[in-house]
Amino acid sequence: MHRPAYSFVRSFPATPANDFQVDRHYLLCASTGALRLEAEGATWLLPPARAALIAADRPIRISIPQPVTTSSVLFDTDFVPPPPAPLTVFDLTPLARALVAECGLCATEDQPPSRYAESVLSALAAVTWKLAEQPSPVVVPTGRSPELRRALHLTEQRLAEQLTFEELAAEVGLAPRSLARRFEVECGMTWRATLRRMRILRAIEELAAGDTPVTKIAYAVGYTSLSAFNAAFRQLTTRSPTEYRASFHP
């Protein structure tokens, strides 16, 4: 029986990065935990109360740093228009969350399709397609060249250290000026700005993982001052770390 769209809930253990691709447009919502999604030269973080809209037949990489529970809706490509981008992560509004929950009740894979379910699914698509036009800023570029990708990997592995740019350049075998140029061309931002993004991304993962105190998270991701961490976090997300954690359970 052909279904224009259907909903399902799944739980997954922590898993290394894997390639993922489906032939339907995929709305992926995190309920608990967090996922990392990589596509189009960028890495997005999907914490609770957010959603990812993934275009059909677009390959992405998904890694699960901690156990997660997700609510998903798969849309037939003839049922809805193409998403505004191959991959977008965005905040869910109360209306969107209510529609996702209702789809979980009336539009599951094992239920016969109904006009009511199709109307709810259509409303969900209209709302989330519009939300996807305003993506989350919690995104980190992945780079193209082997040297820059190694620099990004080393930076992420050593967030808690006071790594200098000169030390990083030496480790990847480039002059600091050459590495700085790679960051500007391939990432569209400086290494320092990329480092701040990575630290905030890791902090959000820790916020989603449990109730670790914000101060401990700040030091764990490389900040030596709670006020500096709060300022950087708010600058990127427009919320304090405590407010952001509270948004996981609206």
Side-chain angles (χ1 to χ4, degrees):
M1 182 183 300
H2 178 74
R3 295 175 181 276
Y6 60 89
S7 171
F8 58 90
V9 175
R10 296 284 189 276
S11 293
F12 302 95
T15 307
N18 286 295
D19 293 331
F20 177 85
Q21 184 175 341
V22 293
D23 60 359
R24 291 185 174 218
H25 302 313
Y26 197 144
L27 180 68
L28 175 63
C29 310
S31 302
T32 62
L35 303 92
R36 286 193 179 209
L37 313 174
E38 181 181 331
E40 303 294 312
T43 297
W44 301 84
L45 183 66
L46 182 62
R50 276 79 191 168
L53 185 56
I54 305 164
D57 298 316
R58 291 295 186 129
I60 66 170
R61 287 182 66 78
I62 298 181
S63 59
I64 306 175
Q66 55 185 273
V68 298
T69 299
T70 63
S71 298
S72 303
V73 182
L74 286 170
F75 294 93
D76 192 286
T77 54
D78 293 330
F79 183 64
V80 291
L87 169 64
T88 311
V89 175
F90 51 91
D91 289 358
L92 287 171
T93 61
L95 174 58
R97 289 194 296 268
L99 289 169
V100 169
E102 186 64 18
C103 287
L105 297 175
C106 70
T108 58
E109 194 171 7
D110 58 354
Q111 289 179 306
S114 68
R115 287 187 177 180
Y116 174 72
E118 287 196 14
S119 66
V120 175
L121 289 161
S122 294
L124 174 63
V127 170
T128 52
W129 261 240
K130 184 66 175 178
L131 291 174
E133 296 175 2
Q134 298 180 338
S136 165
V138 186
V139 57
V140 175
T142 57
R144 298 188 300 274
S145 65
E147 293 84 359
L148 186 60
R149 292 181 74 91
R150 175 165 169 74
L152 290 167
H153 175 74
L154 290 171
T155 300
E156 184 173 17
Q157 293 299 309
R158 298 166 63 178
L159 291 179
E161 303 176 23
Q162 298 307 308
L163 178 68
T164 69
F165 188 68
E166 289 72 22
E167 291 171 340
L168 180 65
E171 289 204 39
V172 300
L174 292 175
R177 181 176 296 181
S178 296
L179 183 58
R181 190 177 303 114
R182 296 280 181 100
F183 270 94
E184 291 289 353
V185 172
E186 297 185 36
C187 295
M189 63 181 74
T190 65
W191 173 72
R192 186 64 61 180
T194 305
L195 174 61
R196 285 196 296 269
R197 291 277 184 102
M198 286 183 167
R199 284 175 167 165
I200 300 306
L201 185 142
R202 178 71 60 78
I204 291 174
E205 287 181 342
E206 293 299 319
L207 290 169
D211 56 0
T212 302
V214 171
T215 301
K216 187 174 182 179
I217 293 174
Y219 293 139
V221 300
Y223 283 90
T224 57
S225 161
L226 180 59
S227 61
F229 171 63
N230 285 336
F233 196 100
R234 186 181 289 277
Q235 184 179 34
L236 183 60
T237 69
T238 73
R239 301 176 185 177
S240 71
T242 301
E243 291 168 341
Y244 203 91
R245 173 181 268 164
S247 74
F248 296 161
H249 308 287

